[in-house]
Amino acid sequence: MTKHKFPPIVVLTGAGVSAESGLPTFRGTGGLWQGYRVEEVANPAAFRRHPELVHDFYNWRRKALLDPRVQPNPAHRALAELQQLVGPEHFYLVTQNVDDLHERAGAKQVHHLHGELLKVRCSETGEVWPWVTDLHVETPHPSRPELRGTLRPHIVWFGEQPLKLTEVYRHLQQCGLFIAIGTSGNVYPAAGFVQATPPGCRRIELNLEDTPTSPEFHEHRRGPAGDLVPALVRELQVLWDSSSSEC
Ligand code: NAD
């Protein structure tokens, strides 16, 4: 039987991959929003206490994402090209980002560990809908008008369980190349994904600077994702072109 040219690839992206598109990382904003620490706004207790404040935060971020100046950058595009090259069944893209820039660049089946800014969810029924406008406590429920105030951003808040972790760990356990891009290695469980890869897996970290998980990686490349990711993808393309499909 003909083997695939590459071992399965898992790519983990964080806020750094979207920074050059004009979406600041939390660290880039000093972790503050209107004087609040992001952790204080992005949690279920804050939503129970001050739902409008939490809605304001996500309305602001949704608007920022939909600003026409915010577009995928070369890193998003290179990852979509890599996925197309090796085939979606050998390429798993898991992101901590809640933006849709990977999809806009052409990536398919992106797994958003922490949810998506352009979706809302009913906290009663679990239904999820695409959403591009502002959301408020009094926004009518799309399918159950008798429910009031149950709509929330489709975002995994601090203290909540990231989405589809079993699927993520299944991919991690089978992967032969793990690439982490623009993630600080501070937010768990994503920060621990590198440790869930098998012993023979090659691990590459792309970031502006060292992170607490850097020692877990075999290779470190330092610089902006918009330069580093296309360069890495070009190297992989050369390997792909030169490798026989039997190796
Ligand atoms: P983080 O803000 O903690 O860390 C960002 C990392 O990216 C840092 O290590 C930084 O050195 C690196 N970085 C910054 N600019 C870079 C660039 N141009 N090229 C390469 N690396 C760069 O982000 P995180 O690790 O993703 O975790 C924090 C949480 O922030 C996540 O849960 C995520 O959902 C959320 N977040 C998401 C967005 C988004 O969706 N675009 C934006 C801000 C925060």
Side-chain angles (χ1 to χ4, degrees), residues 206-227:
L206 276 51
N207 201 306
L208 288 178
E209 57 189 28
D210 285 351
T211 71
T213 53
S214 295
E216 304 290 338
F217 290 83
H218 300 112
E219 206 180 309
H220 312 93
R221 299 184 182 196
R222 298 289 171 248
D227 294 343

Side-chain angles (χ1 to χ4, degrees), residues 32-162:
L32 290 177
W33 176 73
Q34 294 201 351
Y36 291 89
R37 290 214 63 75
V38 169
E39 295 86 336
E40 290 167 20
V41 184
N43 77 71
F47 189 59
R48 281 193 297 274
R49 266 199 312 271
H50 316 289
E52 277 305 332
L53 175 82
V54 177
H55 281 315
D56 281 352
F57 176 57
Y58 288 99
N59 290 340
W60 167 72
R61 290 186 66 192
R62 200 175 296 114
K63 268 203 189 83
L65 175 57
L66 293 172
D67 183 320
R69 287 168 296 186
V70 172
Q71 296 294 336
N73 67 52
H76 298 107
R77 287 196 288 274
L79 289 173
E81 281 164 24
L82 182 60
Q83 181 181 46
Q84 194 154 16
L85 179 76
V86 303
E89 68 286 4
H90 280 79
F91 180 93
Y92 185 67
L93 177 53
V94 51
T95 185
Q96 295 165 91
N97 294 346
V98 296
D99 66 56
D100 64 340
L101 296 180
H102 285 305
E103 287 90 343
R104 286 199 229 167
K108 309 271 184 266
Q109 296 160 18
V110 182
H111 177 47
H112 289 268
L113 199 62
H114 295 163
E116 293 171 70
L117 207 44
L118 300 185
K119 290 188 179 167
V120 298
R121 176 164 92 232
C122 173
S123 47
E124 292 273 315
T125 66
E127 289 166 281
V128 174
W129 298 270
W131 207 268
V132 291
T133 54
D134 281 358
L135 185 63
H136 299 284
V137 176
E138 64 277 5
T139 302
H141 192 285
S143 62
R144 303 263 303 268
E146 73 279 13
L147 292 179
R148 280 188 50 78
T150 61
L151 297 179
R152 56 166 281 180
H154 183 48
I155 297 287
V156 176
W157 285 326
F158 289 96
E160 295 182 323
Q161 179 78 345

